[in-house]
Amino acid sequence: MDLKHKLLFIALLIVASAIDGTQAVAVVSGTVFCDQCKDGQRSLFDYPLSGTKVTITCADGNGQVTMSREETTNMFGNYVMRFDGSPDLSNCHAQVSGSGQGSNDCGAIAGPAQELRLMFRMFDMEFFGVDSLLSEPAQPMSFCPRSANPVPAPVVTPTRPPMASRPPFRLPPLPPLPPMPPLPYSEASACSHQYWTMPENKCYWRVLNPETKVAVIFGPLAGRRYGTDMTLWEGLQGRGDPYRTLLREGTTALLNSYNSLQFPYNSVDVVTRMNWALMGSTRGVLINALRFLRANSGYGKVTCKLTPCK
């Protein structure tokens, strides 16, 4: 057996042992949003809800509960649950089960339960996704648009004869009111990584901290690729290498998603696309980095709205 065939044989043995050593596991992930307008769907006014309890419940054919697991959402409204072994999650549902410190007044009513959907299977590992879970306040926020089909007011039958008709009373014309100020972060904005590294723009790091670790934000895959000590600020300096470029543009896109509601990707999309890219080929890494780069440049139509901090 020549050297080439020996090396190939050794490589096959390593792959086979790695596959054989993989433990069966099922991972479920999703996001909880505050449905501020109580319209039962994701909208411009909704935001990720941290500190909220989510329960996954599984039942058998007779409706008897066979398994239940609870987890709390992180600062981005995301939750991840791991089930060791090969449990049957085909008849499981996820639902908001309690409010926490980050729910404010949005934990009064839990939205409907959502089914678990198998996203993909690899070796003995299964990855499930859940449609966005909603938690609602007791009453819609004052800035929410009114329903297109309001409930008509009940008709009250008068108990006394109507008074004699009077001439209609008209108010004098009122002066025009000033326009309403724009909602926070509602203006379209897209900024490149150079803007986010300027000291005068540091006040726009509202949700993220420059010293937060990349692995904390983007997950274990990012931790294995970039190390557990790299910060988001260091990630913005990356260049020359496809994976460093992906981290730079992905971090920039995440910052833009928290700065403008009209940014093409929300925070969950950015983290999800980053992880898909890290699990794929170098070509896929470059493609996702280019997509983030184009979004961060506003596709040539949207400019950066950051103004120097006071």
Side-chain angles (χ1 to χ4, degrees), residues 110-193:
Q114 300 290 350
E115 294 183 354
L116 276 58
R117 295 180 291 105
L118 179 63
M119 305 301 292
F120 66 94
R121 182 183 290 110
M122 183 170 58
F123 304 139
D124 289 330
M125 296 180 291
E126 295 180 331
F127 295 85
F128 291 82
V130 183
D131 290 339
S132 299
L133 297 177
L134 301 177
S135 185
E136 301 176 351
Q139 297 295 331
M141 298 294 103
S142 58
F143 51 75
C144 293
R146 295 184 178 180
S147 173
N149 299 308
V151 178
V155 178
V156 178
T157 304
T159 58
R160 59 181 180 178
M163 297 177 63
S165 60
R166 296 178 179 177
F169 175 77
R170 291 190 177 94
L171 288 172
L174 300 175
L177 297 174
M180 291 288 292
L183 289 171
Y185 324 130
S186 63
E187 189 177 16
S189 176
C191 304
S192 63
H193 70 277

Side-chain angles (χ1 to χ4, degrees), residues 198-205 306-310:
M198 293 180 179
E200 59 267 30
N201 293 332
K202 208 164 186 180
C203 64
Y204 290 96
W205 289 66
L306 300 184
T307 56
C309 306
K310 297 181 179 180

Side-chain angles (χ1 to χ4, degrees), residues 84-97:
D84 293 327
S86 301
D88 181 12
L89 302 181
S90 59
N91 195 29
C92 299
H93 296 78
Q95 188 173 26
V96 173
S97 57

Side-chain angles (χ1 to χ4, degrees), residues 13-271:
L13 286 178
I14 293 174
V15 173
S17 62
I19 296 175
D20 182 64
T22 303
Q23 296 181 353
V25 65
V27 178
V28 181
S29 62
T31 308
V32 178
F33 287 88
C34 175
D35 183 12
Q36 296 197 95
C37 296
K38 295 175 64 68
D39 54 6
Q41 58 187 357
R42 286 274 308 279
S43 68
L44 178 69
F45 305 98
D46 301 342
Y47 61 88
L49 205 55
S50 63
T52 300
K53 295 181 180 180
V54 176
T55 300
I56 292 181
T57 305
C58 304
D60 57 19
N62 298 322
Q64 298 295 321
V65 176
T66 58
M67 181 171 53
S68 181
R69 182 78 60 83
E70 187 178 71
E71 187 58 73
T72 304
T73 59
N74 61 15
M75 62 185 296
F76 302 108
N78 303 327
Y79 62 91
V80 178
M81 299 190 195
R82 174 191 174 109
F83 297 85
D84 293 327
S86 301
D88 181 12
L89 302 181
S90 59
N91 195 29
C92 299
H93 296 78
Q95 188 173 26
V96 173
S97 57
S99 59
Q101 58 183 0
S103 60
N104 296 326
D105 296 328
C106 202
I109 303 174
Q114 300 290 350
E115 294 183 354
L116 276 58
R117 295 180 291 105
L118 179 63
M119 305 301 292
F120 66 94
R121 182 183 290 110
M122 183 170 58
F123 304 139
D124 289 330
M125 296 180 291
E126 295 180 331
F127 295 85
F128 291 82
V130 183
D131 290 339
S132 299
L133 297 177
L134 301 177
S135 185
E136 301 176 351
Q139 297 295 331
M141 298 294 103
S142 58
F143 51 75
C144 293
R146 295 184 178 180
S147 173
N149 299 308
V151 178
V155 178
V156 178
T157 304
T159 58
R160 59 181 180 178
M163 297 177 63
S165 60
R166 296 178 179 177
F169 175 77
R170 291 190 177 94
L171 288 172
L174 300 175
L177 297 174
M180 291 288 292
L183 289 171
Y185 324 130
S186 63
E187 189 177 16
S189 176
C191 304
S192 63
H193 70 277
Q194 290 93 339
Y195 283 97
W196 289 105
T197 54
M198 293 180 179
E200 59 267 30
N201 293 332
K202 208 164 186 180
C203 64
Y204 290 96
W205 289 66
R206 298 185 178 95
V207 177
L208 302 175
N209 189 304
E211 299 304 317
T212 302
K213 307 300 182 184
V214 168
V216 173
I217 301 300
F218 292 108
L221 286 176
R224 285 196 290 269
R225 167 59 62 176
Y226 303 109
T228 56
D229 294 327
M230 177 172 286
T231 64
L232 295 177
W233 185 263
E234 293 170 339
L236 288 176
Q237 320 300 323
R239 56 176 54 85
D241 174 79
Y243 287 91
R244 294 295 298 273
T245 302
L246 173 68
L247 178 60
R248 182 191 71 204
E249 297 304 326
T251 303
T252 304
L254 189 61
L255 288 165
N256 284 323
S257 71
Y258 282 113
N259 188 61
S260 174
L261 290 173
Q262 298 189 43
F263 191 70
Y265 303 114
N266 61 40
S267 59
V268 179
D269 291 334
V270 174
V271 175

